[in-house]
Amino acid sequence: MAQNREGEESPYAVSSPSGATLSVRWVQGFPKQNVHFVTEDTICYPSGNYVIFINIETKTKTVLQCINGIVGVVATNIPYEVVAFSDRKLKPNIYIYNFPGLTRRTKLKGNILLDYTLLTFSYCGTYLASYSSLPEFELALWNWESNVILCKKSQPGLDVSQLSFNPMNWRQLCLSSPSTVNVWTIERSNQEHYIKARSVKLPLEDGTFVNETDVLFPHSLPKDLIYGPVLPLSAIAGLVGEEAETFRPKDDLYPLLHPTMHCWTPSSDLYVGCEEGHLLMINGETLKVTVLQKIEDMTQSEPHHISPVSLVYQKDGVFASGIEGSVYSFIIKDSSYKVETFLETEGPVEHMLFSPSYKMLLIQTDKGSVCIYTFDEKPTLEKVLDACDGKFQAIDFITPGTKYFMTVTHSGEVCIWWMEDCICESRIYLNTPTTALACSPSSHSAVVGTVDGYVYFLDVQEVDSPGVIHKAFLSKSAVQYLIFDQRGIFLFVGSSEGNIFIMNANPSSSFEILGFVEVSKDILQISTVSLLEVDVVQVLVLSSLPEAEKSRLELFTVPKILPTVSESFTDERGKLKEELIHLYLYEMEHTLSSAVLDFQSNQIYGFCNQAPYVCSYLLPEKETFARCQSHSHQAHGIQSMRISMDGQSILVNGKDDGTLVYLKWKRTGGIYGDESIDYFQKLLTFLSKTIAEENYYLNSPRVSLDLGHDFKYSIDSSQEELATEESKKEIPWIQWKSQEAVEKEIKMFSQKRKEIRRGIKELAKTVLNMMEENEKLDNIAKLEQQEFGLDLEELERLHEESEEEVAKIRKDVEMHNLAKGYLTEVIKEECWNAMAVKGRALKCFHIPYVVENFPMKERSSEELKELKTVLQQKKIEAECLKLRKEISEVQSAVSLVKKRHEEDDEEEEDEDKIIRDSNLPNYLLGSLSTDFGVDTSLLSSQLELHSREEKINQITLLKDIIYKVKTAFNNEFDAAYKQKEFEITRVTERNVRIREIISDLELEETVWQPEFEDCEKPERTFVVEDHEITAQKHVSPWQKAKTELISPHETERWLHSQGLDVRNRALMDMMGGVLEVKKEDILKMVIPQPAFMIKPDALWTEEERKQFKEYEKKVKELNEERDKYRKSLETELKKLQNSIQESTQSFDELLKKLFERRVKAEMVVNQEELKINNLVFSLLLEEELTSREIFLNNYLVRKQQEKNQTSEAIRKSREELDAFKEHYDNLMAEDKVLDRSFKKEFSEIPSHQVDLLYKLFKRRPRIHKQKAHSEAASSTPFGERPGSGKLNKDTFAHLMKAMDELDNINNMPEGLDPSVWDHFCATRRAKVENEHKVCNIIFYFILFSIY
């Protein structure tokens, strides 16, 4: 039964005029968190809004409800018999309840914003530790009895997986996470508590240890005599706060072991299991880690690594559980252990826990089942809680809903439960993912819907042995909803595709499928109204329109006679005709989450989840009948709810919390309850006959008809064979109906199809003939092959696809080119446009020398401003130095001062001249920059740079020197570059004459023509020449047409222009194109032979012989002129070639000298950059030293503050200790006074009575320890643990009870006055109380000395 809160009222409690109230009868849920022992025979765990308690022996359950929603974490304190749990609201609280009374003990309110993740009690003392998640990550120590936080500490970003007290010492806590193990020590001084953490240094993943240096004060760092001290990495990183104490660079981090679970030992050590399979032992005092070595079993072929999921301590070792479903016993001896398989379980073990007496071991599986292993002479393993395979997917009552109900999980596990105590009667596994469940009102059968589109029908007459009697494959879409009408005539099956299948609900009809109705896809709810006096069933379907933020209602009616006339109500594909079922469609402006039909009228009630009201037309105002919060919105509320036929029982299933709640009416509320009972009686009377008939059919032997299993189809022999392997498989009913309709259409139009096919073949033959003829035609008359395509739409589609593909490729290429262009512009801007001096090279003509200039950027305005400031400051410093020198050398006489001043000025000028004209080597001057005409007089000596500002100024001046050196060399380079341009120009001019001479002499020599290369003219790289393009130029169609149109006109115009130039043509024909003969043409001159030379010599005349002699004379003179001219040309050629050789060689010599200057300039630049680097290094070293100094100062301040706090705490503790000792001394003095003054107190009575009373005064009652307690202490591995406050209070209570027995009047000596006896009893009681106080003080002294 559920327990109510004392002094609290539920915020959901509603008072109604009817007086109807609901109560929680029981709660069924399975543990998702660890199960805890409350007492030796009772366990508890959270489930949804409840904490469930189970008695191991009787299996009875008790529930405790959290009024603020879902229960967070749970912890139990066995000595005090209390249970604590947190809620999961904003700013959660911790509640502590007594057990078994389940009355609230206290309520702890902290400053946590979101959630508590861990709770644990200490064994002794009233201490509770809690740990919170985001955003605080806070560890808090509570005194839960006094409701105060003793101390707390935040650990930002650390998610802790396990928290536990040391069973032998409540002053130690262990917090473990997947990456760290921290041991916290609680220090106490009177009422002040402090908590301090120490981190365990875990080994590496392979179990080895890494030698770590102290990051705060490293002693093993090497000392560099040149570059100064080597500082810690925190100083190099510039850290000066607390983060410097734990700083480690990323490269210095190593993969460590990952702890999974831990447990304490009686010696206050820790055993820690790791994900990698290692078992660690950690000393509780020194935190020294020992990796225990596993003794491998020689019989095993391969080593078996166990990653413990849970650890519990036992004598001689630990019990560990792995993910494979076994419990192992680790027998630990010294630094090694041996693994033995202790127990095999049905699934992976998630948690283990010993009972308080260590006689039982609780084993919890990952599904939530709980088993108890008892250590007796004959060990037994008993299952206390048998969990279902997953959370409940759907629930429903078995007709009539007074004894049994059914549940189904997503994995397909169907269970039948007894309603009275929620005991599972039977299970059946469908082995398929399921979605919905419904029980038939007209028979003892149930139906289950699956994700695959199947519906399974179950026979549940025998609750201890249900079975599947029928299976139907409706569609390939998942079944979402299953609902019977109230009279059990029809079963409505809603699928995710938006189809609602209507089936005959009677087993006698083999659950015939009558048809389906198409509705919207997003179905939210299906509701029916089936009244006894009406022959139709009204069906309302609610679906959502998320895009329009509206809801759709579809209403239709199904006649009762549908099973007999189903063929006339459906078409060939099985769809119900809308005009016969009167299908109406409504759209609502609100987004409804639920809608139902009214039984008494045609009204529709809808609940809008965006507004807290019920929508209905002409709906009278009604108050809330009853309300009960069974689940929380934090677990996404309620998934499903079922009400029994009599309306007396309500089952509520949570959506995400996995909890099933059974609600029952305490009071039904007058007329509403009476109406419900009357209607139930009428309906049950009406259904009793149908139930008996259908159950008789269920009991009779029959053959199950599975629709779709054996269905096959074939077509007409004239058609192609359509049956394939897939068609032979099981197909859904809706597909079968479609194929059946297609088959009928094929048979009906088979002749027409033959004719169409024949026509298609003839048309194809005609097209082929046309294509053959087309191949024989000329190219002009030939058609394209695609023009023979008859499917123009397909051609258009292919064309569009190709165009889209081309456009896509073009776009990709454009984007690629755009990206490359952008990258080009970035590189060009950075490396070319931004350069004031472009980088280029200069090569020699004949030798392989290359000289490069210095590429330089323009100095920014900030750099120039900074340089100007430094130069001005240097000039001011020089003037100040000069004035100080003058003032120091002042003489008494003004004249002497002036004379001395003038002499000093002259001497300084002479010294400057001497320095400038000095021939000292450059290494003594400290720089080679003077060779380039750079003034270094403003530089400070390298040994005189002390302050940070001086070094920065020196760096600025050195950068200026580098800039000037580069500029000076670049000027020389530019001059050489212009010289080479001049030389190339001169060589080019001379080569013109050389080519003429070579042409006149008809020599086969090549002319050497020097040119600039790309490295000498890098700007040519940005210009693309035509010969560099290897791809053919793309000419668009319109450009090609334009060229074809213009070319004839251009040819005609050229011919016309050539025809008009008559003068040039005549000159070419008569005189070879020249008007006079030049001297250069003498080598080409030829004297024409006389015509008579064709005849033989004997036939010549005298005149012809004279002409021949003159011809020979002219030829001889011409040859002499030719030889003379040829020699002059050869002389000129050699002269020109020698001139070119000399000029280019002289340039090469010049470039060699420039190359040496380039090397020297680079030396100067490197020297100055080395100086700059040394200065920068010294600045960095100063910053590191400054950071280290600031950190050490801050560290010293923190330690001084801690020292002051410690001193103050010690002072307070000493004062408290002195007060404590004084109190102890006072108690001892009072005790002695009571002892000594005893006889004086009773001096009026006889001495023998005084002696007798004194003996009784010294007598003390004997308090016997419970035998069970001593036996439990002997069976636990921790033995007798330190006593708690509760134990001391119980001891004192027993002592006072025994004193009451001693003070009884029956123990009074004979003859003693009763008043004297009363006075004696009061005195003795004061003496006993005083002794108890003294014993408590001594006990605290002993604890102080121990811890």
Side-chain angles (χ1 to χ4, degrees):
M1 60 178 293
Q3 305 294 323
N4 295 325
R5 304 295 167 277
E6 292 185 359
E8 296 183 13
E9 188 166 343
S10 171
Y12 300 95
V14 177
S15 59
S16 60
S18 61
T21 56
L22 284 168
S23 65
V24 178
R25 180 66 181 84
W26 47 254
V27 176
Q28 177 66 295
F30 303 106
K32 295 182 179 179
Q33 301 181 24
N34 293 342
V35 180
H36 303 269
F37 274 99
V38 186
T39 62
E40 180 66 25
D41 55 358
T42 305
I43 59 174
C44 71
Y45 60 90
S47 180
N49 290 20
Y50 306 89
V51 180
I52 302 177
F53 300 86
I54 301 179
N55 189 292
I56 298 174
E57 297 178 357
T58 63
K59 304 297 187 299
T60 57
K61 293 183 180 179
T62 308
V63 295
L64 176 65
Q65 184 177 6
C66 175
I67 62 171
N68 290 324
I70 194 169
V71 176
V73 288
V74 175
T76 59
N77 190 332
I78 297 173
Y80 281 84
E81 295 183 346
V82 295
V83 59
F85 63 89
S86 64
D87 53 21
R88 283 190 172 168
K89 64 174 185 177
L90 191 65
K91 295 183 179 179
N93 300 320
I94 300 174
Y95 302 90
I96 298 181
Y97 280 78
N98 287 321
F99 185 83
L102 297 185
T103 57
R104 198 176 81 178
R105 185 79 171 266
T106 185
K107 179 180 178 181
L108 307 180
K109 295 182 179 180
N111 298 321
I112 301 304
L113 184 62
L114 295 180
D115 190 18
Y116 288 100
T117 56
L118 295 170
L119 291 178
T120 184
F121 282 99
S122 65
Y123 178 80
C124 57
T126 57
Y127 299 104
L128 172 69
S130 65
Y131 195 82
S132 64
S133 61
L134 281 169
E136 295 89 359
F137 295 100
E138 182 180 273
L139 173 66
L141 181 68
W142 303 74
N143 187 330
W144 58 267
E145 205 167 39
S146 57
N147 194 10
V148 294
I149 297 179
L150 302 176
C151 54
K152 59 183 179 180
K153 192 69 175 291
S154 180
Q155 299 185 105
L158 181 61
D159 285 321
V160 176
S161 58
Q162 187 182 3
L163 169 67
S164 65
F165 276 97
N166 184 351
M168 304 302 295
N169 180 11
W170 68 270
R171 291 173 177 80
Q172 278 188 319
L173 269 170
C174 181
L175 276 73
S176 64
S177 69
S179 58
T180 60
V181 176
N182 294 326
V183 176
W184 294 71
T185 303
I186 304 169
E187 299 177 356
R188 174 184 174 184
S189 175
N190 199 7
Q191 299 302 321
E192 296 291 333
H193 292 75
Y194 305 93
I195 190 166
K196 183 179 179 182
R198 291 188 298 165
S199 180
V200 177
K201 294 183 179 179
L202 296 173
L204 299 177
E205 287 185 345
D206 57 355
T208 60
F209 293 89
V210 60
N211 294 324
E212 296 183 351
T213 58
D214 189 355
V215 297
L216 195 59
F217 299 105
H219 299 289
S220 60
L221 291 180
K223 295 183 180 180
D224 196 325
L225 300 178
I226 299 177
Y227 294 102
V230 180
L231 298 175
L233 295 175
S234 58
I236 297 174
L239 302 176
V240 297
E242 295 183 6
E243 64 274 7
E245 300 181 15
T246 57
F247 171 75
R248 283 189 177 278
K250 185 177 181 180
D251 298 337
D252 197 26
L253 299 178
Y254 303 97
L256 305 178
L257 291 176
H258 299 83
T260 55
M261 292 295 293
H262 71 262
C263 64
W264 291 92
T265 68
S267 59
S268 295
D269 294 336
L270 280 166
Y271 287 133
V272 179
C274 300
E275 185 179 333
E276 292 76 10
H278 294 282
L279 182 64
L280 309 180
M281 183 177 69
I282 302 174
N283 188 286
E285 295 296 331
T286 62
L287 300 189
K288 180 182 178 182
V289 180
T290 303
V291 181
L292 301 181
Q293 300 298 322
K294 180 181 177 182
I295 302 175
E296 297 291 347
D297 190 357
M298 302 305 294
T299 59
Q300 294 182 353
S301 59
E302 296 181 358
H304 179 55
H305 294 285
I306 301 171
S307 178
V309 179
S310 179
L311 282 179
V312 290
Y313 182 78
Q314 59 151 340
K315 290 184 177 180
D316 300 327
V318 294
F319 282 130
S321 64
I323 59 175
E324 66 278 359
S326 300
V327 178
Y328 301 96
S329 175
F330 291 1
I331 309 300
I332 302 174
K333 186 176 182 181
D334 297 332
S335 61
S336 61
Y337 68 97
K338 184 179 180 181
V339 179
E340 296 178 356
T341 302
F342 177 74
L343 189 65
E344 296 288 344
T345 58
E346 61 181 10
V349 177
E350 193 173 70
H351 177 61
M352 292 189 300
L353 181 68
F354 274 105
S355 65
S357 64
Y358 272 74
K359 293 182 178 180
M360 292 182 292
L361 176 64
L362 183 145
I363 301 172
Q364 177 184 346
T365 64
D366 60 340
K367 292 182 180 179
S369 298
V370 178
C371 302
I372 298 293
Y373 184 87
T374 306
F375 295 88
D376 286 335
E377 294 181 358
K378 293 182 179 180
T380 58
L381 181 64
E382 180 184 5
K383 182 173 287 189
V384 177
L385 188 63
D386 191 4
C388 293
D389 189 11
K391 66 178 183 179
F392 298 125
Q393 192 75 14
I395 53 176
D396 202 358
F397 290 96
I398 297 178
T399 305
T402 57
K403 291 184 178 181
Y404 302 99
F405 69 95
M406 298 180 66
T407 62
V408 65
T409 62
H410 180 73
S411 61
E413 180 183 3
V414 182
C415 300
I416 300 179
W417 306 80
W418 184 36
M419 284 179 53
E420 186 64 26
D421 289 327
C422 193
I423 297 175
C424 183
E425 297 290 340
S426 60
R427 301 171 187 262
I428 183 173
Y429 296 92
L430 301 180
N431 297 321
T432 183
T434 58
T435 56
L437 168 71
C439 294
S440 174
S442 59
S443 64
H444 288 159
S445 63
V447 60
V448 178
T450 68
V451 175
D452 300 330
Y454 286 89
V455 286
Y456 290 81
F457 293 89
L458 309 178
D459 181 6
V460 294
Q461 291 185 97
E462 301 294 334
V463 294
D464 55 349
S465 59
V468 178
I469 57 173
H470 183 67
K471 180 176 71 171
F473 190 13
L474 300 180
S475 68
K476 292 183 178 181
S477 59
V479 175
Q480 284 187 327
Y481 295 95
L482 292 172
I483 184 172
F484 289 92
D485 67 288
Q486 285 77 9
R487 289 180 289 177
I489 302 174
F490 302 109
L491 169 65
F492 299 92
V493 183
S495 68
S496 58
E497 286 184 348
N499 296 326
I500 296 181
F501 297 90
I502 303 174
M503 303 180 68
N504 195 325
N506 296 324
S508 58
S509 66
S510 298
F511 304 105
E512 179 187 3
I513 304 174
L514 305 176
F516 72 94
V517 179
E518 288 185 354
V519 295
S520 300
K521 286 187 176 181
D522 298 325
I523 301 176
L524 296 179
Q525 186 180 3
I526 302 175
S527 63
T528 63
V529 172
S530 180
L531 301 179
L532 298 177
E533 61 275 5
V534 181
D535 293 335
V536 295
V537 177
Q538 291 184 325
V539 183
L540 177 67
V541 181
L542 172 65
S543 57
S544 64
L545 300 174
E547 297 180 356
E549 296 184 355
K550 295 181 180 180
S551 295
R552 176 177 292 173
L553 293 173
E554 295 173 80
L555 179 65
F556 61 91
T557 58
V558 180
K560 184 179 179 181
I561 60 172
L562 180 63
T564 58
V565 295
S566 60
E567 294 184 358
S568 60
F569 268 68
T570 59
D571 57 12
E572 294 83 356
R573 285 170 166 71
K575 181 181 178 182
L576 290 172
K577 299 177 182 179
E578 296 182 358
E579 62 274 10
L580 297 179
I581 61 174
H582 307 291
L583 179 64
Y584 296 97
L585 176 65
Y586 306 93
E587 285 192 0
M588 314 298 294
E589 294 296 330
H590 299 90
T591 55
L592 302 179
S593 60
S594 179
V596 294
L597 284 168
D598 187 8
F599 267 48
Q600 303 300 329
S601 62
N602 291 325
Q603 290 181 341
I604 298 173
Y605 298 153
F607 180 75
C608 178
N609 54 8
Q610 296 180 351
Y613 52 80
V614 176
C615 306
S616 175
Y617 293 102
L618 303 176
L619 179 66
E621 295 184 359
K622 295 183 180 181
E623 297 183 359
T624 302
F625 185 65
R627 183 183 296 181
C628 178
Q629 184 192 15
S630 58
H631 298 80
S632 172
H633 68 90
Q634 297 154 348
H636 302 94
I638 296 172
Q639 179 174 353
S640 60
M641 182 181 71
R642 291 291 183 268
I643 302 176
S644 61
M645 293 179 64
D646 60 356
Q648 300 301 308
S649 302
I650 302 174
L651 283 175
V652 186
N653 181 29
K655 190 169 185 178
D656 287 342
D657 56 11
T659 305
L660 180 63
V661 180
Y662 176 38
L663 303 176
K664 203 168 181 64
W665 294 103
K666 283 187 177 179
R667 293 186 297 274
T668 56
I671 187 172
Y672 299 114
D674 297 338
E675 290 178 356
S676 175
I677 294 174
D678 292 342
Y679 178 78
F680 167 69
Q681 293 296 335
K682 292 179 182 179
L683 183 61
L684 191 60
T685 303
F686 173 80
L687 293 175
S688 58
K689 182 179 179 181
T690 306
I691 293 174
E693 292 175 355
E694 296 301 329
N695 288 345
Y696 175 77
Y697 179 80
L698 289 174
N699 293 328
S700 61
R702 63 199 179 282
V703 178
S704 174
L705 175 63
D706 290 346
L707 295 178
H709 275 275
D710 302 325
F711 175 77
K712 297 181 182 178
Y713 68 96
S714 60
I715 59 176
D716 191 78
S717 59
S718 62
Q719 310 301 324
E720 294 179 356
E721 184 64 26
L722 299 179
T724 61
E725 292 184 1
E726 292 186 1
S727 65
K728 296 179 182 179
K729 295 180 181 178
E730 189 174 7
I731 61 174
W733 177 85
I734 190 170
Q735 184 179 347
W736 169 63
K737 294 293 291 184
S738 298
Q739 292 177 354
E740 189 179 38
V742 170
E743 183 181 354
K744 290 181 180 178
E745 291 178 358
I746 290 174
K747 290 181 179 179
M748 184 181 300
F749 300 102
S750 60
Q751 190 64 30
K752 188 69 176 177
R753 292 184 69 203
K754 289 180 180 179
E755 294 177 0
I756 293 173
R757 181 170 293 182
R758 191 181 302 112
I760 290 173
K761 288 181 178 180
E762 293 176 356
L763 183 60
K765 186 181 295 183
T766 304
V767 171
L768 288 175
N769 294 332
M770 293 173 64
M771 292 177 68
E772 291 176 357
E773 294 177 2
N774 181 66
E775 291 295 330
K776 300 176 182 179
L777 298 176
D778 297 334
N779 292 332
I780 297 176
K782 186 181 294 185
L783 297 177
E784 296 289 339
Q785 190 170 2
Q786 62 183 10
E787 297 184 26
F788 290 93
L790 301 181
D791 192 350
L792 298 180
E793 294 180 356
E794 180 66 16
L795 290 175
E796 185 67 22
R797 187 185 66 81
L798 293 175
H799 179 70
E800 291 177 355
E801 287 183 357
S802 62
E803 290 294 332
E804 290 177 359
E805 188 68 22
V806 170
K808 182 180 179 182
I809 294 174
R810 181 178 288 111
K811 186 176 180 180
D812 293 342
V813 172
E814 289 176 355
M815 294 304 295
H816 179 74
N817 293 340
L818 181 62
K820 293 292 185 182
Y822 174 75
L823 182 60
T824 302
E825 290 299 323
V826 170
I827 296 174
K828 183 179 178 182
E829 182 65 28
E830 180 69 23
C831 302
W832 185 258
N833 296 340
M835 292 294 176
V837 179
K838 307 297 193 289
R840 62 182 71 242
L842 201 58
K843 288 188 174 183
C844 293
F845 288 111
H846 304 292
I847 56 178
Y849 270 49
V850 180
V851 181
E852 296 178 353
N853 70 341
F854 289 103
M856 296 174 62
K857 290 185 178 181
E858 193 69 32
R859 288 192 285 189
S860 63
S861 58
E862 291 80 4
E863 292 176 347
L864 294 174
K865 185 178 179 181
E866 183 182 1
L867 176 61
K868 184 178 178 181
T869 303
V870 173
L871 292 175
Q872 189 69 23
Q873 183 178 351
K874 285 292 183 179
K875 290 178 180 179
I876 294 172
E877 290 178 358
E879 291 295 330
C880 291
L881 180 61
K882 186 184 296 183
L883 291 175
R884 284 198 301 269
K885 189 174 182 181
E886 290 176 359
I887 293 171
S888 64
E889 297 176 355
V890 171
Q891 302 295 331
S892 59
V894 178
S895 60
L896 294 177
V897 171
K898 291 181 179 180
K899 187 177 180 180
R900 185 64 176 272
H901 180 64
E902 293 174 357
E903 291 176 358
D904 291 342
D905 290 341
E906 293 176 359
E907 290 177 1
E908 289 179 2
E909 292 177 0
D910 294 339
E911 288 176 1
D912 293 339
K913 292 178 181 178
I914 292 170
I915 292 174
R916 291 171 187 169
D917 298 336
S918 176
N919 292 324
L920 291 175
N922 289 323
Y923 59 82
L924 295 179
L925 297 176
S927 176
L928 297 173
S929 57
T930 55
D931 294 345
F932 292 87
V934 179
D935 184 17
T936 61
S937 60
L938 295 178
L939 288 176
S940 301
S941 174
Q942 299 182 46
L943 302 177
E944 295 178 358
L945 298 174
H946 303 294
S947 65
R948 177 181 178 83
E949 185 179 1
E950 290 176 348
K951 294 178 181 179
I952 294 175
N953 292 341
Q954 185 83 343
I955 291 173
T956 303
L957 293 175
L958 290 173
K959 288 181 179 179
D960 182 57
I961 290 174
I962 293 173
Y963 185 84
K964 290 179 179 178
V965 170
K966 289 182 178 180
T967 303
F969 176 79
N970 285 342
N971 293 334
E972 298 178 9
F973 181 87
D974 293 340
Y977 192 83
K978 291 179 181 178
Q979 179 66 26
K980 186 171 183 179
E981 287 181 342
F982 175 74
E983 294 294 337
I984 291 177
T985 304
R986 189 162 60 179
V987 171
T988 304
E989 293 174 354
R990 292 174 179 174
N991 283 342
V992 174
R993 179 57 185 161
I994 291 174
R995 289 191 182 91
E996 292 177 357
I997 295 172
I998 291 175
S999 176
D1000 293 340
L1001 297 177
E1002 295 181 354
L1003 300 177
E1004 295 182 356
E1005 295 182 6
T1006 57
V1007 180
W1008 176 68
Q1009 177 62 46
E1011 292 181 354
F1012 283 106
E1013 297 185 8
D1014 289 342
C1015 63
E1016 296 176 299
K1017 284 186 174 292
E1019 58 272 8
R1020 293 194 306 201
T1021 307
F1022 301 112
V1023 180
V1024 181
E1025 301 292 341
D1026 291 339
H1027 67 273
E1028 295 178 352
I1029 302 175
T1030 58
Q1032 187 177 0
K1033 184 178 180 181
H1034 173 71
V1035 180
S1036 59
W1038 68 271
Q1039 289 177 336
K1040 188 182 296 183
K1042 181 180 178 182
T1043 304
E1044 293 176 354
L1045 183 64
I1046 292 176
S1047 58
H1049 298 282
E1050 291 290 337
T1051 305
E1052 183 179 355
R1053 188 176 65 179
W1054 181 82
L1055 293 174
H1056 181 69
S1057 63
Q1058 292 293 325
L1060 294 177
D1061 196 0
V1062 179
R1063 181 178 179 275
N1064 292 333
R1065 188 173 54 186
L1067 183 63
M1068 290 297 296
D1069 292 341
M1070 294 186 297
M1071 302 185 69
V1074 296
L1075 295 176
E1076 61 180 355
V1077 178
K1078 297 180 181 180
K1079 187 177 181 180
E1080 291 82 359
D1081 296 334
I1082 194 171
L1083 296 176
K1084 300 179 181 179
M1085 291 177 60
V1086 177
I1087 298 175
Q1089 293 180 355
F1092 62 84
M1093 290 183 67
I1094 302 175
K1095 298 184 297 181
D1097 296 347
L1099 298 179
W1100 289 355
T1101 65
E1102 288 295 328
E1103 185 66 26
E1104 289 175 344
R1105 292 182 185 279
K1106 289 180 181 180
Q1107 290 178 2
F1108 177 73
K1109 289 181 180 180
E1110 291 178 359
Y1111 169 75
E1112 286 182 344
K1113 183 179 179 181
K1114 289 180 181 180
V1115 170
K1116 184 178 180 181
E1117 291 175 356
L1118 181 60
N1119 290 334
E1120 290 177 356
E1121 289 292 331
R1122 281 181 179 177
D1123 294 339
K1124 188 185 298 184
Y1125 183 66
R1126 185 183 300 275
K1127 289 179 181 180
S1128 65
L1129 289 179
E1130 290 177 353
T1131 303
E1132 186 181 358
L1133 177 62
K1134 290 181 180 180
K1135 185 177 180 181
L1136 290 174
Q1137 289 177 346
N1138 292 335
S1139 176
I1140 293 173
Q1141 183 71 18
E1142 290 175 1
S1143 62
T1144 53
Q1145 286 181 354
S1146 62
F1147 176 78
D1148 288 350
E1149 293 296 328
L1150 177 64
L1151 201 61
K1152 286 173 65 177
K1153 295 180 181 179
L1154 185 63
F1155 179 78
E1156 294 176 357
R1157 292 284 289 176
R1158 178 64 168 82
V1159 173
K1160 185 173 290 187
E1162 195 164 354
M1163 289 172 58
V1164 173
V1165 171
N1166 291 338
Q1167 285 177 354
E1168 305 306 329
E1169 288 181 349
L1170 177 61
K1171 295 177 185 178
I1172 292 174
N1173 290 334
N1174 288 334
L1175 290 174
V1176 170
F1177 178 79
S1178 65
L1179 290 174
L1180 290 175
L1181 186 60
E1182 286 181 8
E1183 290 181 0
E1184 294 172 5
L1185 291 172
T1186 303
S1187 300
R1188 182 65 173 174
E1189 182 181 0
I1190 295 173
F1191 165 72
L1192 292 176
N1193 290 333
N1194 294 339
Y1195 185 78
L1196 181 61
V1197 170
R1198 287 198 301 271
K1199 291 303 177 183
Q1200 287 176 347
Q1201 292 176 354
E1202 292 178 3
K1203 180 182 178 182
N1204 295 335
Q1205 294 174 359
T1206 304
S1207 301
E1208 182 66 20
I1210 291 173
R1211 185 186 63 78
K1212 289 182 180 180
S1213 300
R1214 285 177 178 172
E1215 291 179 357
E1216 294 173 355
L1217 180 61
D1218 293 339
F1220 199 68
K1221 289 182 178 179
E1222 184 179 355
H1223 179 59
Y1224 174 73
D1225 294 337
N1226 293 335
L1227 288 177
M1228 291 296 294
E1230 290 178 4
D1231 186 70
K1232 292 180 180 179
V1233 168
L1234 288 174
D1235 197 4
R1236 292 173 181 173
S1237 62
F1238 177 79
K1239 294 185 178 181
K1240 294 181 182 179
E1241 290 285 338
F1242 300 97
S1243 59
E1244 299 177 355
I1245 61 175
S1247 58
H1248 68 280
Q1249 290 184 349
V1250 172
D1251 295 337
L1252 183 58
L1253 289 177
Y1254 187 74
K1255 291 180 180 179
L1256 294 176
F1257 182 75
K1258 289 291 186 179
R1259 185 180 176 184
R1260 297 291 180 267
R1262 292 185 178 179
I1263 301 175
H1264 299 283
K1265 293 184 179 181
Q1266 298 181 2
K1267 185 177 181 181
H1269 177 73
S1270 61
E1271 290 178 357
S1274 62
S1275 61
T1276 61
F1278 295 95
E1280 285 285 352
R1281 284 177 271 188
S1284 64
K1286 181 177 183 298
L1287 183 60
N1288 294 334
K1289 292 179 182 179
D1290 294 342
T1291 303
F1292 183 69
H1294 289 305
L1295 179 63
M1296 291 296 103
K1297 187 175 181 181
M1299 288 301 298
D1300 291 338
E1301 294 179 0
L1302 291 179
D1303 293 343
N1304 195 342
I1305 193 69
N1306 296 328
N1307 296 324
M1308 182 180 66
E1310 295 181 1
L1312 188 64
D1313 189 5
S1315 60
V1316 176
W1317 176 254
D1318 293 339
H1319 179 60
F1320 166 76
C1321 293
T1323 304
R1324 183 171 60 180
R1325 186 176 291 270
K1327 171 71 172 174
V1328 171
E1329 292 176 355
N1330 195 67
E1331 288 177 352
H1332 182 72
K1333 292 178 181 180
V1334 172
C1335 291
N1336 285 339
I1337 292 175
I1338 294 173
F1339 175 73
Y1340 286 128
F1341 270 121
I1342 294 172
L1343 289 181
F1344 180 78
S1345 62
I1346 293 175
Y1347 301 112

